[in-house]
Amino acid sequence: MKASKFKVSLLLFPQLLISIFLMTGVIYGLIQGLGYIPALSMTDWTLDYYIQSIQDPNTLRSILFSLWIAFASSVLSVLIGLFICYLFINQKHYPKWVQALIQIPIIVPHIIVALFVIQILSQTGILARLLYVIGFENAQQIVSGWLFDPQGKGVILAYLWKEIPFIVFFCFSLIRQINGSLGEAAQTLGANRLQAYVHVTLPLCRQTILTSFFIIFMFTFGAYELPAILGPTLPQSIAEATYIAYTHPDLKQRPFAMAMNGWIFIISLGMALLFAFFIYRKKPSHKQGGQDG
Amino acid sequence: MDKIKYRWINGALALAFLLPIFILVVWAFTARWPWPQLFPQEWTWRGFSQLWQRNQNFSQLIFSSVTLSLLVAFLSVCIGFLTSRAYLMVEKRWASRLIYGLVSLPFLVPAVVFGMGIHQLMIRLGWANTFFGVMLAHLVYSLPYATYLILDAYQSFGFRYEEQARILGASSWQSIRLVTWPLLLPVLSTSFAMSYVVSFSQYFLTLLLGGGQVQTFALVMFPYLQNNDRTIASNYGLLFLLITLAVFLIFERLSAHYQKKYQLSSYY
């Protein structure tokens, strides 16, 4: 179709406005983190807030805590999600109703997932009650480490419930398609089902899988709600720590909040570059690929 | 043997995704559930009626919350459609990569980073604590989901059919309305649903930019979760899911209705 430059730019105009809006917000905040807030009569550009905020051990712990949660949730979601896809494609007539059910978590917001986790895992939750009924007198102690713990187990579990279905939703149709063609071919050539899946189908779907991994990682890294409800008092997630600094009654805290945002942004960008490198890297050649058979 | 094994696996999967919702429903109508009983001891409607008692404008809250997300979803689908068309039109590789990058940008920027910066700007512009400001911010994060879905579907058939219609004498508007629109309708309704959910579930941006003036369902529910008032929180959760489901059903009906109009068989 003939496309004039004018027509394309007209079509792109609304998206461009939104992108500019997004970047304006980001840059506006980053500038305040450099100490330039005329409204508070601060006009000296400085890197002090960036340096001081990262030197604060609490900020550093928050960043590590958020990175840990993001890493654990996204890796586990992808692994379990891909395993579920494997279970689906192995059934000749995989049941449509299970696939429909597995989409439920996509419409359930994170705060309701938090409620689920509390109702199941808290000390008076259903799991503790079940354990007690089958004879564990100390049921409440057994489950006590699962919520509000410094490893964020409850938070990660909540993310898993929400994101595993997202992986299936995002990757399944492509996986099924590739497995049906090239995966089957690998099987006729002597690979067993699992080998065909792991060595042929999954590498061919790499780009889609990495993209979904990336979306989950970035979201969980910067998210506020779940760690705020299910996480420990300390360490806070980086989003929570930043929000607390931002809403602090002492307005001198604001450049610190903005500088912390700057660090979140820098880490996110670094991650994005890393993922872009993995996603757009040339596919490994045959010689590098199959070491085992 | 295999069949039985998979029956168990499917059952376990279904249970894992249904059981939490079942427990939520039980809690919503629980009056007393002392430790270590496995089942609630007393049932009640108190929680459900208190939703309206505690919050005088509760019906209005639901209405404005749903309206906000419907608007966001509508705008997302429109913009997503336009962007997808532009993406398919450009021929240079760098240009299509640039468009894809613009679309994906919100995935690179956590909502806290954008939210606080834009909050400062909105205070100056007078958009903070307004419906409009919150809607714009929601739109930023709902849009990429819509665009990804539409782009994916649109790419699979591109402009082939449209061009065919043009060759047969249709105007460009006709070829979009009569050819592309019905072809895209299923994915348009999926992406509408997706962006609706992203907006309806949004907590942080509403909290920050609405400043308590713009209230949404997710916002009102949050304190009950933190205070551990499980009966009330469960009622909020249940109602939230029911509203989402209702919106989805209505939308699916509408889209099915329109699709029927365009079914090939009706032309014969």
Side-chain angles (χ1 to χ4, degrees), chain A residues 112-132:
Chain A
I112 294 182
V113 181
L115 185 59
F116 289 163
V117 173
I118 291 174
Q119 282 168 347
I120 293 172
L121 288 184
S122 74
Q123 298 211 357
T124 53
I126 206 80
L127 183 67
R129 289 170 197 267
L130 270 176
L131 286 175
Y132 189 86

mmCIF file with all atom_site columns, all heavy atoms in Angstrom, chain A residues 112-132:
data_model
loop_
_atom_site.group_PDB
_atom_site.id
_atom_site.type_symbol
_atom_site.label_atom_id
_atom_site.label_alt_id
_atom_site.label_comp_id
_atom_site.label_asym_id
_atom_site.label_entity_id
_atom_site.label_seq_id
_atom_site.pdbx_PDB_ins_code
_atom_site.Cartn_x
_atom_site.Cartn_y
_atom_site.Cartn_z
_atom_site.occupancy
_atom_site.B_iso_or_equiv
_atom_site.pdbx_formal_charge
_atom_site.auth_seq_id
_atom_site.auth_comp_id
_atom_site.auth_asym_id
_atom_site.auth_atom_id
_atom_site.pdbx_PDB_model_num
ATOM 1   N N   . ILE A 1 112 ? -6.345  -8.226  44.771 1.00 0.00 ? 112 ILE A N   1
ATOM 2   C CA  . ILE A 1 112 ? -7.204  -9.359  45.141 1.00 0.00 ? 112 ILE A CA  1
ATOM 3   C C   . ILE A 1 112 ? -6.371  -10.632 45.277 1.00 0.00 ? 112 ILE A C   1
ATOM 4   O O   . ILE A 1 112 ? -6.640  -11.466 46.144 1.00 0.00 ? 112 ILE A O   1
ATOM 5   C CB  . ILE A 1 112 ? -8.345  -9.527  44.119 1.00 0.00 ? 112 ILE A CB  1
ATOM 6   C CG1 . ILE A 1 112 ? -9.268  -8.307  44.190 1.00 0.00 ? 112 ILE A CG1 1
ATOM 7   C CG2 . ILE A 1 112 ? -9.154  -10.787 44.403 1.00 0.00 ? 112 ILE A CG2 1
ATOM 8   C CD1 . ILE A 1 112 ? -10.454 -8.366  43.273 1.00 0.00 ? 112 ILE A CD1 1
ATOM 9   N N   . VAL A 1 113 ? -5.332  -10.748 44.457 1.00 0.00 ? 113 VAL A N   1
ATOM 10  C CA  . VAL A 1 113 ? -4.424  -11.889 44.615 1.00 0.00 ? 113 VAL A CA  1
ATOM 11  C C   . VAL A 1 113 ? -3.783  -11.838 46.003 1.00 0.00 ? 113 VAL A C   1
ATOM 12  O O   . VAL A 1 113 ? -3.609  -12.867 46.670 1.00 0.00 ? 113 VAL A O   1
ATOM 13  C CB  . VAL A 1 113 ? -3.345  -11.891 43.522 1.00 0.00 ? 113 VAL A CB  1
ATOM 14  C CG1 . VAL A 1 113 ? -2.435  -13.084 43.683 1.00 0.00 ? 113 VAL A CG1 1
ATOM 15  C CG2 . VAL A 1 113 ? -3.978  -11.917 42.150 1.00 0.00 ? 113 VAL A CG2 1
ATOM 16  N N   . ALA A 1 114 ? -3.458  -10.632 46.448 1.00 0.00 ? 114 ALA A N   1
ATOM 17  C CA  . ALA A 1 114 ? -2.897  -10.484 47.794 1.00 0.00 ? 114 ALA A CA  1
ATOM 18  C C   . ALA A 1 114 ? -3.872  -11.027 48.831 1.00 0.00 ? 114 ALA A C   1
ATOM 19  O O   . ALA A 1 114 ? -3.487  -11.727 49.775 1.00 0.00 ? 114 ALA A O   1
ATOM 20  C CB  . ALA A 1 114 ? -2.591  -9.014  48.076 1.00 0.00 ? 114 ALA A CB  1
ATOM 21  N N   . LEU A 1 115 ? -5.139  -10.717 48.643 1.00 0.00 ? 115 LEU A N   1
ATOM 22  C CA  . LEU A 1 115 ? -6.168  -11.210 49.569 1.00 0.00 ? 115 LEU A CA  1
ATOM 23  C C   . LEU A 1 115 ? -6.209  -12.740 49.564 1.00 0.00 ? 115 LEU A C   1
ATOM 24  O O   . LEU A 1 115 ? -6.286  -13.378 50.616 1.00 0.00 ? 115 LEU A O   1
ATOM 25  C CB  . LEU A 1 115 ? -7.515  -10.626 49.151 1.00 0.00 ? 115 LEU A CB  1
ATOM 26  C CG  . LEU A 1 115 ? -8.720  -10.911 50.049 1.00 0.00 ? 115 LEU A CG  1
ATOM 27  C CD1 . LEU A 1 115 ? -8.470  -10.392 51.445 1.00 0.00 ? 115 LEU A CD1 1
ATOM 28  C CD2 . LEU A 1 115 ? -9.967  -10.259 49.471 1.00 0.00 ? 115 LEU A CD2 1
ATOM 29  N N   . PHE A 1 116 ? -6.130  -13.336 48.364 1.00 0.00 ? 116 PHE A N   1
ATOM 30  C CA  . PHE A 1 116 ? -6.092  -14.807 48.261 1.00 0.00 ? 116 PHE A CA  1
ATOM 31  C C   . PHE A 1 116 ? -4.962  -15.366 49.108 1.00 0.00 ? 116 PHE A C   1
ATOM 32  O O   . PHE A 1 116 ? -5.139  -16.309 49.882 1.00 0.00 ? 116 PHE A O   1
ATOM 33  C CB  . PHE A 1 116 ? -5.827  -15.250 46.814 1.00 0.00 ? 116 PHE A CB  1
ATOM 34  C CG  . PHE A 1 116 ? -6.958  -15.018 45.872 1.00 0.00 ? 116 PHE A CG  1
ATOM 35  C CD1 . PHE A 1 116 ? -6.741  -15.032 44.503 1.00 0.00 ? 116 PHE A CD1 1
ATOM 36  C CD2 . PHE A 1 116 ? -8.239  -14.807 46.343 1.00 0.00 ? 116 PHE A CD2 1
ATOM 37  C CE1 . PHE A 1 116 ? -7.765  -14.834 43.617 1.00 0.00 ? 116 PHE A CE1 1
ATOM 38  C CE2 . PHE A 1 116 ? -9.280  -14.603 45.458 1.00 0.00 ? 116 PHE A CE2 1
ATOM 39  C CZ  . PHE A 1 116 ? -9.041  -14.605 44.090 1.00 0.00 ? 116 PHE A CZ  1
ATOM 40  N N   . VAL A 1 117 ? -3.782  -14.791 48.920 1.00 0.00 ? 117 VAL A N   1
ATOM 41  C CA  . VAL A 1 117 ? -2.607  -15.328 49.602 1.00 0.00 ? 117 VAL A CA  1
ATOM 42  C C   . VAL A 1 117 ? -2.772  -15.205 51.120 1.00 0.00 ? 117 VAL A C   1
ATOM 43  O O   . VAL A 1 117 ? -2.442  -16.125 51.865 1.00 0.00 ? 117 VAL A O   1
ATOM 44  C CB  . VAL A 1 117 ? -1.334  -14.612 49.107 1.00 0.00 ? 117 VAL A CB  1
ATOM 45  C CG1 . VAL A 1 117 ? -0.128  -15.037 49.920 1.00 0.00 ? 117 VAL A CG1 1
ATOM 46  C CG2 . VAL A 1 117 ? -1.098  -14.931 47.646 1.00 0.00 ? 117 VAL A CG2 1
ATOM 47  N N   . ILE A 1 118 ? -3.334  -14.077 51.566 1.00 0.00 ? 118 ILE A N   1
ATOM 48  C CA  . ILE A 1 118 ? -3.562  -13.923 53.010 1.00 0.00 ? 118 ILE A CA  1
ATOM 49  C C   . ILE A 1 118 ? -4.539  -14.989 53.493 1.00 0.00 ? 118 ILE A C   1
ATOM 50  O O   . ILE A 1 118 ? -4.328  -15.632 54.518 1.00 0.00 ? 118 ILE A O   1
ATOM 51  C CB  . ILE A 1 118 ? -4.113  -12.507 53.316 1.00 0.00 ? 118 ILE A CB  1
ATOM 52  C CG1 . ILE A 1 118 ? -3.030  -11.463 53.065 1.00 0.00 ? 118 ILE A CG1 1
ATOM 53  C CG2 . ILE A 1 118 ? -4.599  -12.431 54.755 1.00 0.00 ? 118 ILE A CG2 1
ATOM 54  C CD1 . ILE A 1 118 ? -3.514  -10.041 53.193 1.00 0.00 ? 118 ILE A CD1 1
ATOM 55  N N   . GLN A 1 119 ? -5.613  -15.191 52.730 1.00 0.00 ? 119 GLN A N   1
ATOM 56  C CA  . GLN A 1 119 ? -6.628  -16.146 53.175 1.00 0.00 ? 119 GLN A CA  1
ATOM 57  C C   . GLN A 1 119 ? -6.108  -17.577 53.195 1.00 0.00 ? 119 GLN A C   1
ATOM 58  O O   . GLN A 1 119 ? -6.593  -18.403 53.947 1.00 0.00 ? 119 GLN A O   1
ATOM 59  C CB  . GLN A 1 119 ? -7.863  -16.051 52.273 1.00 0.00 ? 119 GLN A CB  1
ATOM 60  C CG  . GLN A 1 119 ? -8.705  -14.848 52.617 1.00 0.00 ? 119 GLN A CG  1
ATOM 61  C CD  . GLN A 1 119 ? -9.763  -14.564 51.576 1.00 0.00 ? 119 GLN A CD  1
ATOM 62  O OE1 . GLN A 1 119 ? -9.746  -15.099 50.482 1.00 0.00 ? 119 GLN A OE1 1
ATOM 63  N NE2 . GLN A 1 119 ? -10.697 -13.689 51.931 1.00 0.00 ? 119 GLN A NE2 1
ATOM 64  N N   . ILE A 1 120 ? -5.124  -17.859 52.385 1.00 0.00 ? 120 ILE A N   1
ATOM 65  C CA  . ILE A 1 120 ? -4.613  -19.233 52.355 1.00 0.00 ? 120 ILE A CA  1
ATOM 66  C C   . ILE A 1 120 ? -3.420  -19.415 53.290 1.00 0.00 ? 120 ILE A C   1
ATOM 67  O O   . ILE A 1 120 ? -3.346  -20.372 54.039 1.00 0.00 ? 120 ILE A O   1
ATOM 68  C CB  . ILE A 1 120 ? -4.232  -19.621 50.907 1.00 0.00 ? 120 ILE A CB  1
ATOM 69  C CG1 . ILE A 1 120 ? -5.500  -19.689 50.050 1.00 0.00 ? 120 ILE A CG1 1
ATOM 70  C CG2 . ILE A 1 120 ? -3.529  -20.976 50.877 1.00 0.00 ? 120 ILE A CG2 1
ATOM 71  C CD1 . ILE A 1 120 ? -5.241  -19.866 48.579 1.00 0.00 ? 120 ILE A CD1 1
ATOM 72  N N   . LEU A 1 121 ? -2.492  -18.464 53.289 1.00 0.00 ? 121 LEU A N   1
ATOM 73  C CA  . LEU A 1 121 ? -1.219  -18.703 53.964 1.00 0.00 ? 121 LEU A CA  1
ATOM 74  C C   . LEU A 1 121 ? -1.057  -18.049 55.328 1.00 0.00 ? 121 LEU A C   1
ATOM 75  O O   . LEU A 1 121 ? -0.077  -18.322 56.013 1.00 0.00 ? 121 LEU A O   1
ATOM 76  C CB  . LEU A 1 121 ? -0.075  -18.226 53.068 1.00 0.00 ? 121 LEU A CB  1
ATOM 77  C CG  . LEU A 1 121 ? 0.224   -19.080 51.842 1.00 0.00 ? 121 LEU A CG  1
ATOM 78  C CD1 . LEU A 1 121 ? 1.433   -18.530 51.124 1.00 0.00 ? 121 LEU A CD1 1
ATOM 79  C CD2 . LEU A 1 121 ? 0.467   -20.522 52.243 1.00 0.00 ? 121 LEU A CD2 1
ATOM 80  N N   . SER A 1 122 ? -1.970  -17.161 55.730 1.00 0.00 ? 122 SER A N   1
ATOM 81  C CA  . SER A 1 122 ? -1.748  -16.489 57.004 1.00 0.00 ? 122 SER A CA  1
ATOM 82  C C   . SER A 1 122 ? -1.891  -17.497 58.144 1.00 0.00 ? 122 SER A C   1
ATOM 83  O O   . SER A 1 122 ? -2.280  -18.637 57.936 1.00 0.00 ? 122 SER A O   1
ATOM 84  C CB  . SER A 1 122 ? -2.736  -15.339 57.170 1.00 0.00 ? 122 SER A CB  1
ATOM 85  O OG  . SER A 1 122 ? -4.012  -15.865 57.451 1.00 0.00 ? 122 SER A OG  1
ATOM 86  N N   . GLN A 1 123 ? -1.582  -17.044 59.350 1.00 0.00 ? 123 GLN A N   1
ATOM 87  C CA  . GLN A 1 123 ? -1.568  -17.979 60.485 1.00 0.00 ? 123 GLN A CA  1
ATOM 88  C C   . GLN A 1 123 ? -2.946  -18.541 60.807 1.00 0.00 ? 123 GLN A C   1
ATOM 89  O O   . GLN A 1 123 ? -3.061  -19.590 61.436 1.00 0.00 ? 123 GLN A O   1
ATOM 90  C CB  . GLN A 1 123 ? -1.005  -17.277 61.714 1.00 0.00 ? 123 GLN A CB  1
ATOM 91  C CG  . GLN A 1 123 ? 0.425   -16.851 61.477 1.00 0.00 ? 123 GLN A CG  1
ATOM 92  C CD  . GLN A 1 123 ? 1.241   -16.859 62.738 1.00 0.00 ? 123 GLN A CD  1
ATOM 93  O OE1 . GLN A 1 123 ? 0.736   -17.136 63.811 1.00 0.00 ? 123 GLN A OE1 1
ATOM 94  N NE2 . GLN A 1 123 ? 2.514   -16.563 62.609 1.00 0.00 ? 123 GLN A NE2 1
ATOM 95  N N   . THR A 1 124 ? -4.012  -17.830 60.395 1.00 0.00 ? 124 THR A N   1
ATOM 96  C CA  . THR A 1 124 ? -5.343  -18.408 60.548 1.00 0.00 ? 124 THR A CA  1
ATOM 97  C C   . THR A 1 124 ? -5.914  -18.769 59.179 1.00 0.00 ? 124 THR A C   1
ATOM 98  O O   . THR A 1 124 ? -7.113  -18.887 59.010 1.00 0.00 ? 124 THR A O   1
ATOM 99  C CB  . THR A 1 124 ? -6.298  -17.422 61.245 1.00 0.00 ? 124 THR A CB  1
ATOM 100 O OG1 . THR A 1 124 ? -6.257  -16.189 60.525 1.00 0.00 ? 124 THR A OG1 1
ATOM 101 C CG2 . THR A 1 124 ? -5.907  -17.195 62.683 1.00 0.00 ? 124 THR A CG2 1
ATOM 102 N N   . GLY A 1 125 ? -5.010  -18.925 58.213 1.00 0.00 ? 125 GLY A N   1
ATOM 103 C CA  . GLY A 1 125 ? -5.440  -19.231 56.851 1.00 0.00 ? 125 GLY A CA  1
ATOM 104 C C   . GLY A 1 125 ? -5.864  -20.677 56.700 1.00 0.00 ? 125 GLY A C   1
ATOM 105 O O   . GLY A 1 125 ? -5.753  -21.484 57.617 1.00 0.00 ? 125 GLY A O   1
ATOM 106 N N   . ILE A 1 126 ? -6.348  -20.976 55.502 1.00 0.00 ? 126 ILE A N   1
ATOM 107 C CA  . ILE A 1 126 ? -6.925  -22.291 55.267 1.00 0.00 ? 126 ILE A CA  1
ATOM 108 C C   . ILE A 1 126 ? -5.866  -23.386 55.332 1.00 0.00 ? 126 ILE A C   1
ATOM 109 O O   . ILE A 1 126 ? -6.127  -24.497 55.808 1.00 0.00 ? 126 ILE A O   1
ATOM 110 C CB  . ILE A 1 126 ? -7.674  -22.303 53.902 1.00 0.00 ? 126 ILE A CB  1
ATOM 111 C CG1 . ILE A 1 126 ? -8.783  -23.349 53.906 1.00 0.00 ? 126 ILE A CG1 1
ATOM 112 C CG2 . ILE A 1 126 ? -6.744  -22.537 52.753 1.00 0.00 ? 126 ILE A CG2 1
ATOM 113 C CD1 . ILE A 1 126 ? -10.032 -22.910 54.598 1.00 0.00 ? 126 ILE A CD1 1
ATOM 114 N N   . LEU A 1 127 ? -4.638  -23.065 54.935 1.00 0.00 ? 127 LEU A N   1
ATOM 115 C CA  . LEU A 1 127 ? -3.575  -24.075 54.954 1.00 0.00 ? 127 LEU A CA  1
ATOM 116 C C   . LEU A 1 127 ? -3.247  -24.474 56.389 1.00 0.00 ? 127 LEU A C   1
ATOM 117 O O   . LEU A 1 127 ? -3.152  -25.667 56.721 1.00 0.00 ? 127 LEU A O   1
ATOM 118 C CB  . LEU A 1 127 ? -2.325  -23.534 54.257 1.00 0.00 ? 127 LEU A CB  1
ATOM 119 C CG  . LEU A 1 127 ? -1.175  -24.530 54.163 1.00 0.00 ? 127 LEU A CG  1
ATOM 120 C CD1 . LEU A 1 127 ? -1.546  -25.677 53.243 1.00 0.00 ? 127 LEU A CD1 1
ATOM 121 C CD2 . LEU A 1 127 ? 0.093   -23.848 53.680 1.00 0.00 ? 127 LEU A CD2 1
ATOM 122 N N   . ALA A 1 128 ? -3.123  -23.471 57.280 1.00 0.00 ? 128 ALA A N   1
ATOM 123 C CA  . ALA A 1 128 ? -2.830  -23.765 58.679 1.00 0.00 ? 128 ALA A CA  1
ATOM 124 C C   . ALA A 1 128 ? -3.954  -24.597 59.292 1.00 0.00 ? 128 ALA A C   1
ATOM 125 O O   . ALA A 1 128 ? -3.714  -25.537 60.057 1.00 0.00 ? 128 ALA A O   1
ATOM 126 C CB  . ALA A 1 128 ? -2.641  -22.470 59.455 1.00 0.00 ? 128 ALA A CB  1
ATOM 127 N N   . ARG A 1 129 ? -5.199  -24.266 58.949 1.00 0.00 ? 129 ARG A N   1
ATOM 128 C CA  . ARG A 1 129 ? -6.342  -25.016 59.483 1.00 0.00 ? 129 ARG A CA  1
ATOM 129 C C   . ARG A 1 129 ? -6.306  -26.464 59.009 1.00 0.00 ? 129 ARG A C   1
ATOM 130 O O   . ARG A 1 129 ? -6.552  -27.398 59.780 1.00 0.00 ? 129 ARG A O   1
ATOM 131 C CB  . ARG A 1 129 ? -7.648  -24.362 59.042 1.00 0.00 ? 129 ARG A CB  1
ATOM 132 C CG  . ARG A 1 129 ? -7.924  -23.026 59.719 1.00 0.00 ? 129 ARG A CG  1
ATOM 133 C CD  . ARG A 1 129 ? -9.105  -22.322 59.053 1.00 0.00 ? 129 ARG A CD  1
ATOM 134 N NE  . ARG A 1 129 ? -9.145  -20.902 59.389 1.00 0.00 ? 129 ARG A NE  1
ATOM 135 C CZ  . ARG A 1 129 ? -9.838  -20.406 60.411 1.00 0.00 ? 129 ARG A CZ  1
ATOM 136 N NH1 . ARG A 1 129 ? -10.538 -21.186 61.195 1.00 0.00 ? 129 ARG A NH1 1
ATOM 137 N NH2 . ARG A 1 129 ? -9.832  -19.110 60.645 1.00 0.00 ? 129 ARG A NH2 1
ATOM 138 N N   . LEU A 1 130 ? -5.990  -26.641 57.713 1.00 0.00 ? 130 LEU A N   1
ATOM 139 C CA  . LEU A 1 130 ? -5.905  -28.002 57.175 1.00 0.00 ? 130 LEU A CA  1
ATOM 140 C C   . LEU A 1 130 ? -4.822  -28.805 57.889 1.00 0.00 ? 130 LEU A C   1
ATOM 141 O O   . LEU A 1 130 ? -5.049  -29.949 58.300 1.00 0.00 ? 130 LEU A O   1
ATOM 142 C CB  . LEU A 1 130 ? -5.588  -27.946 55.680 1.00 0.00 ? 130 LEU A CB  1
ATOM 143 C CG  . LEU A 1 130 ? -6.763  -27.900 54.719 1.00 0.00 ? 130 LEU A CG  1
ATOM 144 C CD1 . LEU A 1 130 ? -6.274  -27.745 53.290 1.00 0.00 ? 130 LEU A CD1 1
ATOM 145 C CD2 . LEU A 1 130 ? -7.597  -29.166 54.855 1.00 0.00 ? 130 LEU A CD2 1
ATOM 146 N N   . LEU A 1 131 ? -3.663  -28.186 58.053 1.00 0.00 ? 131 LEU A N   1
ATOM 147 C CA  . LEU A 1 131 ? -2.552  -28.866 58.723 1.00 0.00 ? 131 LEU A CA  1
ATOM 148 C C   . LEU A 1 131 ? -2.960  -29.259 60.144 1.00 0.00 ? 131 LEU A C   1
ATOM 149 O O   . LEU A 1 131 ? -2.657  -30.354 60.619 1.00 0.00 ? 131 LEU A O   1
ATOM 150 C CB  . LEU A 1 131 ? -1.319  -27.962 58.760 1.00 0.00 ? 131 LEU A CB  1
ATOM 151 C CG  . LEU A 1 131 ? -0.574  -27.797 57.444 1.00 0.00 ? 131 LEU A CG  1
ATOM 152 C CD1 . LEU A 1 131 ? 0.547   -26.777 57.577 1.00 0.00 ? 131 LEU A CD1 1
ATOM 153 C CD2 . LEU A 1 131 ? -0.018  -29.131 56.968 1.00 0.00 ? 131 LEU A CD2 1
ATOM 154 N N   . TYR A 1 132 ? -3.676  -28.355 60.808 1.00 0.00 ? 132 TYR A N   1
ATOM 155 C CA  . TYR A 1 132 ? -4.090  -28.623 62.183 1.00 0.00 ? 132 TYR A CA  1
ATOM 156 C C   . TYR A 1 132 ? -5.051  -29.810 62.227 1.00 0.00 ? 132 TYR A C   1
ATOM 157 O O   . TYR A 1 132 ? -4.933  -30.703 63.061 1.00 0.00 ? 132 TYR A O   1
ATOM 158 C CB  . TYR A 1 132 ? -4.761  -27.381 62.768 1.00 0.00 ? 132 TYR A CB  1
ATOM 159 C CG  . TYR A 1 132 ? -5.026  -27.491 64.246 1.00 0.00 ? 132 TYR A CG  1
ATOM 160 C CD1 . TYR A 1 132 ? -4.036  -27.142 65.175 1.00 0.00 ? 132 TYR A CD1 1
ATOM 161 C CD2 . TYR A 1 132 ? -6.261  -27.940 64.724 1.00 0.00 ? 132 TYR A CD2 1
ATOM 162 C CE1 . TYR A 1 132 ? -4.273  -27.247 66.523 1.00 0.00 ? 132 TYR A CE1 1
ATOM 163 C CE2 . TYR A 1 132 ? -6.505  -28.048 66.080 1.00 0.00 ? 132 TYR A CE2 1
ATOM 164 C CZ  . TYR A 1 132 ? -5.507  -27.696 66.982 1.00 0.00 ? 132 TYR A CZ  1
ATOM 165 O OH  . TYR A 1 132 ? -5.744  -27.813 68.324 1.00 0.00 ? 132 TYR A OH  1
#
